[in-house]
Amino acid sequence: MIPFLDMKAIYTELKTELDAAYARVMESGWYVLGREVEAFEAEYAAFCGTEHCIGLANGLEALELVLRAWDLGPGDEVIVPSNTYIATWLAVTAVGATVVPVEPTPAGPNIDPDRIAAAVSPRTRAIMPVHLYGEPADMDAIVALADRRGIKVIEDVAQSQGSKVRGRRAGAIGHAGAHSFFPTKNIGAYGDGGAVTTDDPKLAERLRTLRNYGSRVKYVNLERGYNSRLDELQAAFLRVKLTRLDAWNERRRAVAARYGDRLAGIPGLDLPRAPQWAEPVWHLYVVRTGRRAELAAALDKSGIGSLIHYPIPPHLQQAYADLGLPKGSFPLAESLAETVLSLPMGPHMTPEAIDEVAAVVRKTLS
Ligand SMILES: *Cc1c(COP(=O)(O)O)cnc(C)c1O
């Protein structure tokens, strides 16, 4: 049996440190917004290379609260990828703004800067590139375009913590980066968690207010805020995980390299290839094939986990039926949804397991 992601192995390797972190918080008698959160915020900001980090309850609210902090709402447009997890779109519509979907580059999976230029209107207030599967979007082109037009850029870093574009970390390139610490992400908590990284002190201060009922001083409410706080236990766990993030991303890189070698030259199978300027962190290893159902069934029969990220693009979800975007509206996103398959990936995958997965793929498609 080869699991899609070995969560148990992650705990086993870090058990001593995680258990110590648990005990430290439990014995402190303080569980929400305290010293662990403050320490994690400082450590994660240093890791990303930003002035500020604000711990929040989850990745979706990290995206949403930034848009709220920028006062985006009805009548404002936000450019989002047509090919993404639905959370990206949900953040935009949650504040009442309009999603303007833009297709990925022909090589995929990330948003195409040339198509962004064509989608910008006088109402465009922000661009929300997603670094999907751990592969950074073309941030240099996106930031250059946004700066020319005075548009904000918020990076969705949920799948790419630690990745780089020409030496700069994802989440430190746009005006803000929204991070998720859902357990399966490259740095995951043991429950929900999220954060925003930014160099903008005004944005940081507004987020600290918004996450805590619109309050900075107890029982004095400056605005109608949220309850979106990172808790002490999750922050303490994340501090342990952060010490391994670069090393574990390196292990993922080795897994991807071995997959690349073992899966080369299989007819009808497209392998992921990151651009030269990108340093991906391989949150997922996503192949493409017209024979996906057959391949997924063969893997399943061999006891190998695989998943589809994602089977239905946001514009075809019932949740967005009211936008009236029928099948055919975003053919690149639709074609990816029909052909992508994620193979097992994680910092604990053994060379033997990789070879076994590759052998099943080769046998099925050859
Ligand atoms: C996981 C994810 C999110 C949302 O994060 P949560 O912490 O689950 O709310 C947002 N965007 C993308 C691309 C994600 O993969």
Side-chain angles (χ1 to χ4, degrees), residues 182-309:
F182 185 76
T184 58
K185 310 290 188 186
N186 285 36
I187 172 170
Y190 288 87
D192 279 302
V196 170
T197 49
T198 184
D199 285 333
D200 179 351
K202 271 176 59 188
L203 174 62
E205 180 58 26
R206 184 90 190 270
L207 289 170
R208 290 184 195 285
T209 309
L210 278 173
R211 75 175 171 185
N212 195 25
Y213 299 112
S215 169
R216 289 295 271 147
V217 174
K218 211 169 171 61
Y219 307 133
V220 179
N221 300 85
L222 305 168
E223 62 177 315
R224 298 173 200 168
Y226 295 69
N227 175 353
S228 183
R229 302 174 296 214
L230 183 64
D231 69 66
E232 289 284 285
L233 271 177
Q234 300 310 332
F237 296 145
L238 288 167
R239 293 180 70 194
V240 174
K241 289 285 197 78
L242 183 56
T243 66
R244 305 303 203 285
L245 184 51
D246 273 335
W248 287 18
N249 282 342
E250 200 54 56
R251 291 198 215 164
R252 288 172 180 270
R253 233 165 253 138
V255 174
R258 193 174 181 97
Y259 267 138
D261 180 64
R262 299 300 193 268
L263 294 172
I266 298 178
L269 184 75
D270 284 327
L271 303 182
R273 259 179 295 114
Q276 276 290 309
W277 43 260
E279 218 177 275
V281 289
W282 301 101
H283 175 59
L284 299 169
Y285 190 86
V286 181
V287 299
R288 294 178 213 163
T289 170
R291 295 165 66 190
R292 180 175 69 189
E294 205 184 321
L295 180 56
L299 290 166
D300 184 57
K301 228 180 106 207
S302 305
I304 297 168
S306 71
L307 288 170
I308 297 170
H309 298 93

Side-chain angles (χ1 to χ4, degrees), residues 58-60 63 84-85 87-88 130 156 158-159 180 182 185 193 310:
N58 56 65
L60 171 57
L63 291 164
T84 184
Y85 181 54
T88 318
V130 181
D156 182 338
Q159 299 191 1
S180 164
F182 185 76
K185 310 290 188 186
Y310 295 92

